[in-house]
Amino acid sequence: MNSIHQELVARVYDHILQSANTVLRNCKLFSIEILKLEDPTYAEIANQLKGLCDILDKLQTDDPDMKVLKAHEYADHVRLIAAAIEVEDEESLSRHVEELDRRSFL
């Protein structure tokens, strides 16, 4: 992967991690009723992260730091959290927040 691709992958990866961290922080602070009021919605955020992962897939040729794989994992956690918020499933939300909280964010 050339240096321009590496830099772009790193920037997109960092953005995905920051977004996932924001989602995690908000889910720890606010009730599901408040989370449902967010604009953009968490489902929209998850969709945007999926789009960024699709871009990473197109850029990736070599991923020694596994940033592309990790980006997909964080985006998937956000997608599961968004789905739990949409259907107001407190138990599922708690489980997925806990799983995301165990991630290293590195």
Side-chain angles (χ1 to χ4, degrees):
M1 185 171 0
N2 69 38
S3 63
I4 293 172
H5 280 157
Q6 286 175 327
E7 183 178 332
L8 186 54
V9 166
R11 289 177 133 192
V12 172
Y13 175 74
D14 287 344
H15 180 73
I16 290 170
L17 258 60
Q18 288 173 1
S19 296
N21 191 36
T22 298
V23 168
L24 177 63
R25 185 182 67 241
N26 287 348
C27 288
K28 287 177 157 187
L29 291 174
F30 302 109
S31 69
I32 233 172
E33 292 80 18
I34 300 296
L35 296 171
K36 284 189 68 125
L37 299 174
E38 283 292 315
D39 185 21
T41 67
Y42 287 95
E44 291 169 334
I45 293 168
N47 212 16
Q48 291 169 356
L49 295 183
K50 184 195 179 312
L52 290 173
C53 286
D54 291 345
I55 291 169
L56 288 178
D57 288 340
K58 291 177 180 154
L59 290 172
Q60 177 202 6
T61 55
D62 181 28
D63 190 23
D65 298 328
M66 297 178 46
K67 286 185 175 175
V68 175
L69 177 65
K70 289 177 185 176
H72 277 281
E73 290 173 3
Y74 284 97
D76 284 343
H77 282 293
V78 172
R79 179 184 55 78
L80 293 169
I81 287 169
I85 291 168
E86 285 289 311
V87 298
E88 299 184 28
D89 184 342
E90 293 273 358
E91 185 178 316
S92 180
L93 177 61
S94 293
R95 184 175 67 250
H96 294 303
V97 165
E98 188 177 306
E99 288 172 10
L100 181 57
D101 198 25
R102 284 189 287 225
R103 303 290 306 191
S104 65
F105 285 93
L106 296 177

